[in-house]
Structures are given as C-alpha cells and as structure tokens.
Amino acid sequence: MPIPAPNLFPPFNIIRLSHVAFGVRDLAASKAFYVDTLGLQVTDEDDETVYLRAMEERGHHCLVLRRSDTADVRGLSFKVFDEAELDKAHDWFAAEGHPVAWVERPYQGRTLATQDCFGMPIEFYFRMDRLPPIHQKYALYKGVKPLRIDHFNCFSPDVDRAVAFYNAIGFRVTEYTEDEETGKLWAAWTHRKGGVHDLAFTNGLGPRLHHTAFWVPTPLNIIDLCDLMATTGYVGNIERGPGRHGISNAFFLYVLDPDGHRIEIYCSDYQTVDPDLEAIRWDLKDPQRQTLWGAPAPRSWFENGSVFAGVTPVEAALKATPIVAP
Ligand code: DHY
C-alpha cells in the first residue's frame, strides 16, 4: 500500500509527543538507572512514583516511573496546541467510536484518555506545570546529558493501518520501509514537531512499546554513556550500537532499563517542517536502512518490547524476516 498524502489540516492540532509512564518492579533500581546513569532530573517523587524531566524541558515531566508488580506501560502522552484542540480531539475520537474519558493526572490540566485503532492507550493534554529553565545550569548535567524526549516507537501488527490512522490525526510520514514482495509497509516514521519522528511503527507483535528515545547534544555523549555503563554494572543493558541510522541519519544507542524497557539515545536527525517534504523509501532487504555502517540489529531488537497495561498484543500479519544478527 502506498503511504498516504500528508494530512495538513487534521481535525485537531497535536504539537508533539510529551511523556510516558513506565510500570517498574524495583523503583529504587529504576531511579538509579534513569537519574545516575542517564542523567534525567527528578522533579517530584514519593514512595510510589518518580517524575523526571530532561535538561531543556520546561514541562514538569517527560517520564514517570511507577512502582508496579509488572513491567508495563500506562499510555503514550501528547501535547495539543490549546484547550480548544483538546475538545476537538475528544469529539473526533468519540465520533470515530473510540472510548474517551477525562482523567486526572498530577501536574496536568484536563487530560483526555483514549485508544488508537489497535487499542493502544494514548492521552492528550494542553496544560502541564511549567518549571524554571535548567538548560544552562551546567553543574546539573550528568550521565548522557539528555536534553529532551524525542520519540516513541511502537510495535504494530499492521503498519499500513497504523499509518492510515495516525495520518488521519495529522502525523506525517518522513521515511518508511517497504516489503518489496508484498508491497506492504514494514516500518514507518511519522512526525508532528518537525523532526523525523514523534511516533514510529515497526512490524511485530503489537501494540507494544518498542522504545522511547531521548535527544542528546553530541555522539560523544553516547560514547561516554557506553563507557559509563560498561564499568558500572550495566554492560548487559547495552543492546545495540552505537551507530548511525540509515533511516533518520541519527547517531544512536539502544539500552535496556532494569525492567527491559528499551531506551534509545538519539542525536542529530534533520528538519522536516516543509508541508511538501517527500518521504524517503527504504527496501526491507537493505541492511543500511537500520545501520548505515551495515551492522545488523540483534534478534532481541525485533522481538522484545514493553506491553501496555491491560492490552493483549496480537501477531503481525506480515512475516517477512529482516536481516538480523544471530
Ligand atoms: C531506525 C530506528 C530508530 C530510529 C531511527 C531509525 C532504523 C532502524 O534501526 O530500524 O529507532 O529512531
């Protein structure tokens, strides 16, 4: 199926991805990983929950860790342009037959909880508490020096359907991988904020969260993180990279948190704000699409992901086998 033409006038205006809440089984171990190793800043915490932000973020949080019996994800959150767009979003999802609810979320104004076409929990809000800037408080920088949350990537059982659904609410495709034999999409990168992606989809058992990515200033921060993790007991948590992606042209590293939630450290993709930007097509058989330098991704990267609380993932229809390391 070809990718759809960009929807430049969607029914409501999503600005960007915003935050995610992970269920974690050992809150202290997770906090140590995200604060001491990755370098996120604690903005609030109690015995059950830790709120975190990255260095250039003014909103209260981009990641919430919640003590849980199971390692899961409680929904992906997006910021809309203003309160009126939130009401438009509510009415659009209700009219399309999706479940809608106004939910209470700490540090946020009105929050709409709904589901996408696969039952993946997604939330929209406009107002979040604003915090003083810390991007020039250089004494606070630690770990990989994360600047901001960059994107979510989700396993999807039908990437064509995911792209069609998110295109209807304004996500524009920047790059995609096609399975030549079936003509179906294997993966797609879609954005609202003007980078390569806010939300990407990869073929597989889904819906599940494949990873959450954080933007860092330079590739050297990523290499420093590898050195830090390799010598502080986290060598087994380095999953893939460092390397240069073909798709997105970003420098990358994938690491696993103590529960196996996958985090990508990401830097230097390109600007995509032009409304007539042409999406870049990659062939599934081209190993450089994943890593420009040719190194294959490990099998775990195609198989492991985080489940959404209360959502049972389904097998993908497309069974093409990508090139993988044993
Ligand atoms: C790719 C994956 C990402 C990303 C950009 C490009 C390509 C790949 O490795 O499949 O997670 O952010």
Side-chain angles (χ1 to χ4, degrees):
M1 222 194 280
I3 56 161
N7 177 3
L8 300 176
F9 301 98
F12 54 96
N13 188 356
I14 301 166
I15 295 299
R16 58 173 174 87
L17 89 158
S18 169
H19 59 280
V20 61
F22 289 161
V24 299
R25 288 169 295 190
D26 181 339
L27 191 58
S30 294
K31 180 182 165 188
F33 178 78
Y34 285 103
V35 175
D36 302 335
T37 300
L38 292 194
L40 291 171
Q41 299 286 312
V42 175
T43 57
D44 193 19
E45 65 182 317
D46 59 28
D47 289 348
E48 297 298 313
T49 319
V50 180
Y51 292 88
L52 300 161
R53 72 161 157 165
M55 302 310 294
E56 70 178 39
E57 291 174 327
R58 306 287 296 276
H60 184 271
H61 52 269
C62 64
L63 180 61
V64 184
L65 306 175
R66 302 183 64 188
R67 191 190 297 282
S68 171
D69 292 338
T70 50
D72 56 17
V73 181
R74 317 271 173 91
L76 307 183
S77 293
F78 298 86
K79 184 176 174 77
V80 297
F81 185 81
D82 62 15
E83 292 288 339
E85 298 303 309
L86 205 48
D87 292 312
K88 290 187 205 168
H90 173 275
D91 295 350
W92 187 86
F93 279 100
E96 295 288 320
H98 297 254
V100 284
W102 295 108
V103 294
E104 292 295 322
R105 294 286 180 258
Y107 307 105
Q108 277 172 232
R110 289 191 308 147
T111 302
L112 172 69
T114 182
Q115 295 175 3
D116 79 356
C117 57
F118 301 106
M120 185 167 90
I122 50 179
E123 297 188 3
F124 299 93
Y125 76 96
F126 167 60
R127 201 184 57 71
M128 180 185 278
D129 284 8
R130 310 293 289 176
L131 297 177
I134 49 169
H135 62 283
Q136 288 176 330
K137 301 244 183 273
Y138 281 103
L140 296 178
Y141 279 75
K142 274 192 310 190
V144 77
K145 304 187 174 173
L147 295 186
R148 58 184 178 270
I149 192 168
D150 187 77
H151 62 262
F152 301 125
N153 186 315
C154 300
F155 278 119
S156 174
D158 182 342
V159 176
D160 287 288
R161 193 169 157 217
V163 165
F165 174 82
Y166 283 96
N167 186 68
I169 57 173
F171 285 83
R172 314 209 290 267
V173 178
T174 54
E175 305 208 22
Y176 60 100
T177 304
E178 200 169 65
D179 179 6
E180 285 233 304
E181 277 150 40
T182 61
K184 288 183 73 66
L185 290 176
W186 171 269
W189 285 257
T190 77
H191 83 98
R192 286 298 302 163
K193 68 178 176 311
V196 170
H197 51 328
D198 290 83
L199 189 55
F201 309 100
T202 197
N203 183 69
L205 181 78
R208 287 180 302 157
L209 182 61
H210 186 279
H211 65 261
T212 302
F214 292 92
W215 176 282
V216 294
T218 74
L220 259 188
N221 302 109
I222 290 179
I223 291 167
D224 286 347
L225 179 68
C226 292
D227 287 336
L228 181 66
M229 288 182 66
T231 54
T232 52
Y234 290 111
V235 68
N237 297 55
I238 301 175
E239 186 191 31
R240 175 182 165 203
R244 171 82 62 192
H245 282 308
I247 292 164
S248 81
N249 196 39
F251 199 87
F252 72 87
L253 174 73
Y254 296 92
V255 299
L256 302 171
D257 85 355
D259 284 280
H261 297 302
R262 184 181 291 106
I263 299 294
E264 181 179 17
I265 310 297
Y266 182 90
C267 113
S268 70
D269 63 352
Y270 56 91
Q271 178 174 295
T272 63
V273 284
D274 285 8
D276 57 349
L277 184 92
E278 282 127 348
I280 298 172
R281 178 191 168 283
W282 295 79
D283 184 349
L284 182 58
K285 290 197 284 300
D286 180 354
Q288 286 191 281
R289 76 184 198 286
Q290 289 214 285
T291 310
L292 193 65
W293 308 335
R299 186 165 292 280
S300 62
W301 195 89
F302 295 96
E303 293 178 350
N304 300 344
S306 303
V307 292
F308 290 98
V311 179
T312 306
V314 297
E315 286 291 346
L318 196 59
K319 287 289 177 289
T321 309
I323 303 146
V324 286

